[in-house]
Amino acid sequence: MNAERSQLYYSCVFLHVSFQAIQHKVAMSRTRDDTPCWLDAQMLRMLLSELKRCRWEASPYKEASRALDTAVYHCGLLMAQCPAGLNRQLCQHHLDAIMTPLKEASAQLSGKAARTLAGKGPAPAQRLRSWLGW
């Protein structure tokens, strides 16, 4: 993996972990599910800016770029309603919709997705253990 691709990979991992931390904070909130969600809009703006930068840098990597497009779109939707424009459950949905393509982009950039598609993925027993969380 070249240095540029490696840096982009780690940026995607950073973004995924950051959104995951936000999601955990929302999930651990003691408010009811129908209570408006109060996320830090300034932090979300910073993460969206970083997400857009990653998307721009990923343009040579078609599959990762597509995944990042999806993450940027969903982050924009979340930003349009923050803070307090949506309930906790819908906020969780948007965060999932951001993290899933970020995870996909990270896999594409690491080369794991290509190896799996080429039939060089993990053995069936390993996939089952991974799926079961063992």
Side-chain angles (χ1 to χ4, degrees):
M1 183 183 314
N2 66 25
E4 180 181 298
R5 187 175 179 144
S6 179
Q7 178 63 39
L8 187 56
Y9 166 77
Y10 286 114
S11 292
C12 287
V13 169
F14 163 77
L15 285 165
H16 183 266
V17 169
S18 297
F19 281 107
Q20 196 172 38
I22 292 169
Q23 185 180 43
H24 179 72
K25 185 177 178 179
V26 170
M28 299 309 291
S29 172
R30 295 181 187 264
T31 59
R32 297 185 335 251
D33 280 345
D34 61 345
T35 304
C37 184
W38 290 90
L39 291 179
D40 181 353
Q42 186 174 1
M43 181 180 56
L44 282 176
R45 240 186 319 282
M46 185 270 307
L47 290 173
L48 178 58
S49 175
E50 180 68 11
L51 192 52
K52 287 178 178 179
R53 183 192 63 77
C54 284
R55 165 51 191 101
W56 182 78
E57 290 179 2
S59 57
Y61 311 104
K62 191 168 131 181
E63 295 300 319
S65 180
R66 271 194 229 136
L68 290 170
D69 276 341
T70 303
V72 167
Y73 171 76
H74 284 285
C75 192
L77 287 176
L78 180 61
M79 284 294 302
Q81 300 175 60
C82 276
L86 42 87
N87 63 32
R88 226 175 63 175
Q89 196 171 22
L90 190 52
C91 183
Q92 292 272 12
H93 171 75
H94 281 300
L95 290 168
D96 279 336
I98 295 166
M99 290 187 308
T100 300
L102 276 171
K103 190 173 183 178
E104 182 182 324
S106 297
Q108 291 291 334
L109 292 166
S110 73
K112 289 180 184 176
R115 285 194 300 270
T116 301
L117 290 174
K120 298 178 185 175
Q126 288 174 317
R127 285 194 307 268
L128 179 61
R129 279 192 295 274
S130 171
W131 183 74
L132 293 172
W134 294 347

